[in-house]
Each structure stands twice: as structure tokens, then as C-alpha cells.
Amino acid sequence: QECSKKQKNDDTQSTSVDALSSNDGSEEKNEFDTLANAKILLSDCLACDSCMTLEEGARVFQQNQKEFFRILNLNKKCDTSKHKVLAVSICPQSLPYFAAKFSLSVNEAAKRLCGFLKSLGVHYVFDTTIAADFSILESQREFVQRYQRRNQEEHALPMFASACPGWIRYAERVLTNLVTSHICTAKSPQQIMGSLVKGYFARQQNLSPDKIFHVVVAPCYDKKLEALREDFYTALYNSPEVDCVLTSGEIVQIMEQKNVSMKDVTEVAVDSLFDDLKEGDVVRHDGKRSDGYLEHIFKHAAKELFGMDVKEITYKALKNKDFQEVTLEKDGETVLRFAAAYGFRNIQNMVLKLKKGKFLYHFVEVLACPGGCLNGKGQAQTEDGKPDRALLAQMEEVYTAIPVRLPETNLHVQKMYQDWLEGMDSRKAQDTLHTTYSAVNQSTSSLDIKW
């Protein structure tokens, strides 16, 4: 749907956008002639109010299947100096979409998706769950530290989750200083995966980061914009941590274009970042439709701050099913109060409470999409842009059935903290796993681009 908050751009501006977003490579001309450009704006209009610049719009527009195939076609040519190692990282919330859509188990979906991507010419296919392990562990530690400083620092609490780029963009461009100091500094799983692929994996393979073209498959269009952030860029090698983001739906478009069914694809085990190992069965984190920041941080804080082992978390729905709270009581007193706020309506209500000084929560897991990440706008949508509720229900069943693995139990993560990051409290760990969020001045040059 057209964004109702923004004015139409004049013809001159539209022409300049077309010029910036055009592709010079003629080798892939007409390769995707039957694909329509996606007509979905950023989730729930969270990136509206003139905060998409002309340059950003053009760069986002270039993150599509044609750019992916431009790199694949370059690799087919004889000039090896231009060859790239193609690595694709798949988000855990995308796999249930492929599983439900093609009536596969989640493990079958992962292996067949890997087989399909490798049949196109991709060299490595990774699972981003390990990046979420790092993100959750860093978020847990930061919350405990903020809680312990709450009486000394005005902005220590509440802490807001930082994994959703639609929410981050809205906070930086619209809410500004009211919220930015409260956002957790841990990078999202997508961008930590970028650091792992362009940093750790590149070193293991003796590759320069700029020789790797890193693609992320995600359920959400907002992830394209996140990949463009200046702080997620390796200036020394002139290389972004994530070169291109494709939604789950865009991958299915490629399958349809090539007349390939997932059921006919050969299963190939997903790669690991470690030597020649392969990934085992798919695992996930606690949480119904997201990476489980609320549940993991809540249980960790209960143990670290109050010595309480919480096995099961009880959610209490408030105004609607997408705004729920979780509390911890000790000696008759509520000592922790967490909330999950999904969708723009609940985000607005949450911010209103913050402005009025009536905010009771210590931590909020904020996600732009109603229903959470499984309901990302890049998957499970009908042709008219509405959520495919039947498919979404199947996806939730698939996701819930995936075994949970605690990030603390991942031995690879613990080893990487010591060997690669030089310890959990090192400067390298801070620089690699964290970023900063701050108010951004709105640009006068903006556009309402469809992509």
C-alpha cells in the first residue's frame, strides 16, 4: 500500500533514482524479465517521515536478485581477478517458510535450500544461529550491567532490543534521543554474521574480505537497509559486512524463474564456519516467533541478579496478543518486568508511556512486524500484500517444533571468544559484536521508493 504519510516525489527526483539504481551489466539483461519489483515499503511504515535518503533508496534498490546473479555471472568468466567467493547465510526464521510452503521438515528445507543455492554457483551456505548466540549472550551481559548501574545512570534502563532494523531506523530518525540511549548496543544476528563471515571465516580461508560476496536470506525487507549502515563496513578493505540481502520470497521467485521445485532439489548439508565440518540438525533459541531475546535475557537476569532458576516463562497478554509482559517476583515484590511489543501500534503505545514517565519495564523486545519475525513482510504474504494466515500458522508449528539450544552451551562460541575475540571483555569483542545508536538528522532529500 502507498505510504499515506509521505508526499509524492516530482518527476525529476524519480528520474534521478532510476539513473542511480540502474544496472550497468548487460550479461544479466532480461534474465529476470518475468520478475516484478517488490511493491512493499519498509515494515509498517517505520522508515517513513522523510528518513530514506535518495542515495539509500538507490542502494537498497540494488539489493535484488539481479545483483546476486551479476556476481554469479562474473564468476563464470575467465578473468579470475574478478571472481568472488559467494557465501549465503540463512536466518532461522526463514527456514519455516520454506518448510511450510513446500511441505518439508525444517531439516529437509535447510538441506534442499542449500542444494538449490549451490546449484546456482554459491560456494558456502551458513546458518545464522551461531550469530544469534553471540548477540543474545552480549545482550544478556549488557542488561545485567545496565541493571546494576540503574541508580547511577539515568538512561541505563529500560533497555530495548536492537535486533529489528525497522525499529532501529524509526528510533534513530523519529524518536531520537528519547530512545536511542536505551537501545542495547549488541549487533543484530545479521550483522554479527557479517563479522563472522568477513572476519573469522575470511581469516580461516586466507581470503581478503573484499573477495567474499556475502548474501543474507531474511524474512524481512528492513534487513536490506540495515546492511547499508556505515558502522557495518570494513573501510580497510572497502567491504560491507553484508553485501546483499534477499528475502525468502525473493529466493522463491528465483526458483519459479528457473522452474525449480524444492522437492526436486538434491539435499546438501549446510556448511559450518569451522574447517570442513557440516551443520547438524536445525536448532533455535527460546521464543515463539523471534530469536528469543526476552526469554534468554529474563532467565539470565533472574539467575545472575536474584539467584533464581526460571524454567518456564508465563506471558500475560495486555491490550492485544502482540503486547505481552513477563514478571519475576521475589519475597512478594516484582523485581523484573519485561515486555514484548510487536507491531507499530504497540511500539507507539510503548513510546507514549515512556514520554509520560509511566514506563515500568526493565527490558522490551521490540519488533516492527505484528506477530514477530516469522511474519516478516518478505515471506508468507499473499499476492495482494496481506499476511497468508494459513501458511503463517503452519510456519509457527514448524518453528515451535525445532529443538532449543542455549547459546551458553555452544562450545564453538566459547572457543571463538577466547581464540578469535581475545576474551569476552576484550576491545576486539566490543568492536566486533557491538555498535552505537544515536539520533540522526533527517535529510531534506527523500523519496518514497518501492523496492
Side-chain angles (χ1 to χ4, degrees), residues 16-241:
S16 62
V17 173
D18 290 338
L20 278 168
S21 61
S22 64
N23 215 325
D24 294 333
S26 59
E27 65 272 15
E28 65 272 12
K29 186 177 181 181
N30 295 327
E31 184 161 5
F32 289 93
D33 56 308
T34 62
L35 289 179
N37 288 328
K39 295 181 179 179
I40 302 175
L41 295 169
L42 295 177
S43 298
D44 288 343
C45 296
L46 288 185
C48 67
D49 288 341
S50 303
C51 60
M52 175 85 88
T53 67
L54 190 69
E55 181 186 1
E56 284 174 331
R59 290 171 66 197
V60 164
F61 189 82
Q62 289 173 339
Q63 291 197 35
N64 56 30
Q65 302 103 318
K66 293 181 182 180
E67 178 65 7
F68 176 50
F69 269 82
R70 184 182 70 82
I71 301 299
L72 285 170
N73 290 335
L74 273 178
N75 284 354
K76 293 176 184 177
K77 294 183 176 181
C78 296
D79 187 358
T80 56
S81 65
K82 293 185 178 180
H83 282 195
K84 299 269 189 178
V85 173
L86 251 159
V88 176
S89 299
I90 303 171
C91 296
Q93 291 79 24
S94 288
L95 288 177
Y97 168 70
F98 292 101
K101 186 173 182 64
F102 297 103
S103 301
L104 301 167
S105 73
V106 73
N107 288 312
E108 288 175 331
K111 291 176 181 177
R112 294 194 185 194
L113 182 56
C114 179
F116 172 69
L117 291 168
K118 290 198 170 185
S119 73
L120 298 176
V122 171
H123 300 99
Y124 298 96
V125 177
F126 300 118
D127 175 9
T128 67
T129 302
I130 187 172
D133 284 340
F134 277 109
S135 185
I136 290 170
L137 288 171
E138 291 299 307
S139 298
Q140 290 176 172
R141 282 160 44 81
E142 182 171 333
F143 176 79
V144 169
Q145 292 166 0
R146 281 174 176 258
Y147 189 91
Q148 292 169 337
R149 302 195 309 260
R150 69 192 184 284
N151 294 325
Q152 288 78 42
E153 293 184 17
E154 179 185 357
H155 300 293
L157 293 177
M159 185 176 96
F160 297 120
S162 56
C164 174
W167 152 246
I168 294 298
R169 167 60 57 125
Y170 181 63
E172 288 188 319
R173 300 295 177 108
V174 180
L175 304 177
T176 63
N177 294 327
L178 171 71
V179 165
T180 51
S181 59
H182 293 281
I183 296 174
C184 177
T185 64
K187 286 183 183 178
S188 73
Q190 170 177 298
Q191 295 310 136
I192 289 180
M193 196 67 195
S195 299
L196 292 176
V197 171
K198 294 286 184 94
Y200 178 83
F201 181 71
R203 191 180 71 176
Q204 295 293 100
Q205 299 295 318
N206 198 26
L207 288 168
S208 172
D210 60 312
K211 289 296 183 182
I212 299 176
F213 189 80
H214 184 207
V215 180
V216 169
V217 177
C220 170
Y221 284 93
D222 291 4
K223 288 292 183 181
K224 293 175 184 278
L225 197 58
E226 180 181 29
L228 301 179
R229 288 181 67 98
E230 292 181 0
D231 45 334
F232 298 152
Y233 198 85
T234 307
L236 179 63
Y237 294 98
N238 193 30
S239 176
E241 294 173 346

Side-chain angles (χ1 to χ4, degrees), residues 362-377:
H362 298 108
F363 173 81
V364 185
E365 182 180 73
V366 190
L367 298 174
C369 294
C373 297
L374 285 184
N375 190 31
K377 298 296 186 291

Side-chain angles (χ1 to χ4, degrees), residues 288 313-327 337-340 361:
K288 298 174 183 177
I313 286 182
T314 303
Y315 285 88
K316 177 185 176 184
L318 300 178
K319 290 188 175 182
N320 54 73
K321 64 181 177 63
D322 278 332
F323 193 91
Q324 303 188 59
E325 72 172 24
V326 177
T327 57
R337 190 183 297 272
F338 282 27
Y361 300 106

